[in-house]
DNA sequence: AGTGTAGGCCAACGGGTGTTGGCAATAACT
DNA sequence: AGTTATTGCCAACACCCGTTGGCCTACACT
């Protein structure tokens, strides 16, 4: 029952194929049969190692964002650092596809949505700073802008957003995040 | 073949049920059988009136945003007006569900994504103003923020965003849109 | 070298899907 | 009133899904 090292290669192949399929097709259209075919093994192997399609999904999106600690930075540059880190994360995600999996699936699958909520509640909320009582609201506003960028750039592929190079996108979006980080929330920034 | 008024009630019931199902479950999990059951008719009627599941979907999301003309407004208030209109649109959408349908499906369905792209290219792009050559980029940045809000508030239901009342949300997001509308794109607004 | 256990495949089950053709009833038109 | 065409339902087709159990194979351990 506790799987040995002998099958590790197979299990990793399943995970990699699952991430690609989930990312490309979303939870519902990604089939275990197709994932197994990509991994070059039998569909029943997926069941043996991950129990069910949901179990496979949970294993495929087991991830941490690894957000930077903003407290050491000059206040004026935190927005830029946060946006750049977020974009770098997504650019690097093209190989594994974990983040795309999460966002795509969270839209149709309630379990994935719950996972995304807790990720942002814990990780983003913690980085923003536990100080002010409107911290959670600020974190959520930042999430709305960053997720909106990810949605338009990596999922919907809106040409104008997808075509921008990372530097220009950081320069455009950083002031917004900077505003959500510190300015009074109803000011005309 | 050209359907008469006699079946109009049925066709409308199908459309209403389809919008709810597509909005709640997304394109893939929404089944014609369930939609037909909600509408109180036989699944084959859906095929007769809309040809296929894709045809039904196309009919269900046939919509225009009806965005306001910003040119007559004082420059400083355009962001607020745009955000408020967008939010009002989504709040009113709870009944029909067209916008939720579109966003939810665009994430997993390529045809829906294309439809969303053209909607924003034509309608939002036109409102922003055909003047500057970076107009499309500005429109796309606005789309990223507004779609991000819709995603977090109406689809993912991030508590901090979903709990805000409309006025507070407008006050928080309007400066961002205002910035994308007019300020130099790399300024720390 | 013999034995147990994990790896892997095959075949199948039960259920749900979009879609189709035919048949009864009912409304509309001449 | 008689004919026609539209409405609606029923039953079925063909396909694909997630999942299961049984059967060889080959490694690992004593």
């Amino acid at each position: 029952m506790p799987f040995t090292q002998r099958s590790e290669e197979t299990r990793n192949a399943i995970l990699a194929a699952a991430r690609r399929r989930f990312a490309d097709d979303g939870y519902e259209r990604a089939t275990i049969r197709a994932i197994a075919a990509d991994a070059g093994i039998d569909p029943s192997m997926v069941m043996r190692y991950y129990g069910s399609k949901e179990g496979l999904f949970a294993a495929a999106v087991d991830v941490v964002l690894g957000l930077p600690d903003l407290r050491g930075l000059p206040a004026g540059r935190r927005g830029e650092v946060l946006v750049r880190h977020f974009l770098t994360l997504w650019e690097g995600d093209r190989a594994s596809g974990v983040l795309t999996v999460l966002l795509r699936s969270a839209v149709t699958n309630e379990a994935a949505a719950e996972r995304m909520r807790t990720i942002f509640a814990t990780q983003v909320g913690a980085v923003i700073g536990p100080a002010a009582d409107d911290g959670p609201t600020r974190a959520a506003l930042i999430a709305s802008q960053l997720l909106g960028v990810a949605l338009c750039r990596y999922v919907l592929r809106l040409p104008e957003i997808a075509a921008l190079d990372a530097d220009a996108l950081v320069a455009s979006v950083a002031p917004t995040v900077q505003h959500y980080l510190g300015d009074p929330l109803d000011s005309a920034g």
Side-chain angles (χ1 to χ4, degrees), chain A:
Chain A
M1 208 68 113
F3 310 114
T4 72
Q5 272 189 326
R6 181 147 58 109
S7 60
E8 195 184 354
E9 193 180 3
T10 298
R11 297 203 307 278
N12 287 343
I14 293 176
L15 273 188
R19 286 199 256 259
R20 266 236 289 277
R21 283 286 178 176
F22 280 136
D24 287 351
D25 303 336
Y27 182 86
E28 336 285 344
R29 284 196 351 204
T31 70
I32 288 191
R33 285 173 151 91
I35 292 169
D38 288 358
I41 46 92
D42 190 87
S44 62
M45 294 280 93
V46 178
M47 306 303 298
R48 196 199 290 275
Y49 291 132
Y50 298 100
S52 68
K53 188 179 183 180
E54 280 204 23
L56 173 63
F57 178 80
V61 300
D62 189 5
V63 71
V64 279
L65 296 183
L67 293 179
D69 189 359
L70 298 180
R71 285 169 300 184
L73 279 78
R77 297 206 46 205
R78 290 177 186 170
E80 179 194 341
V81 168
L82 195 52
V83 174
R84 168 147 277 131
H85 181 88
F86 183 80
L87 271 187
T88 306
L89 218 60
W90 274 86
E91 292 293 332
D93 185 63
R94 290 221 163 97
S96 72
V98 182
L99 292 174
T100 315
V101 168
L102 198 54
L103 180 50
R104 257 217 165 101
S105 306
V107 171
T108 50
N109 188 277
E110 179 52 29
E114 174 62 27
R115 192 170 291 257
M116 178 143 259
R117 272 183 233 117
T118 62
I119 284 181
F120 266 87
T122 60
Q123 310 214 23
V124 180
V127 163
I128 298 306
D133 53 340
D134 59 354
T137 301
R138 294 178 181 277
L141 286 170
I142 292 174
S144 81
Q145 174 63 92
L146 294 185
L147 285 179
V149 167
L151 176 73
C152 293
R153 184 175 172 92
Y154 301 106
V155 176
L156 299 183
R157 299 184 197 282
L158 271 178
E160 290 80 12
I161 288 277
L164 285 179
D165 66 296
D167 287 339
L169 195 52
V170 169
S172 298
V173 176
T176 296
V177 174
Q178 186 71 38
H179 166 245
Y180 289 148
L181 272 173
D183 298 346
L185 276 183
D186 52 354
S187 92

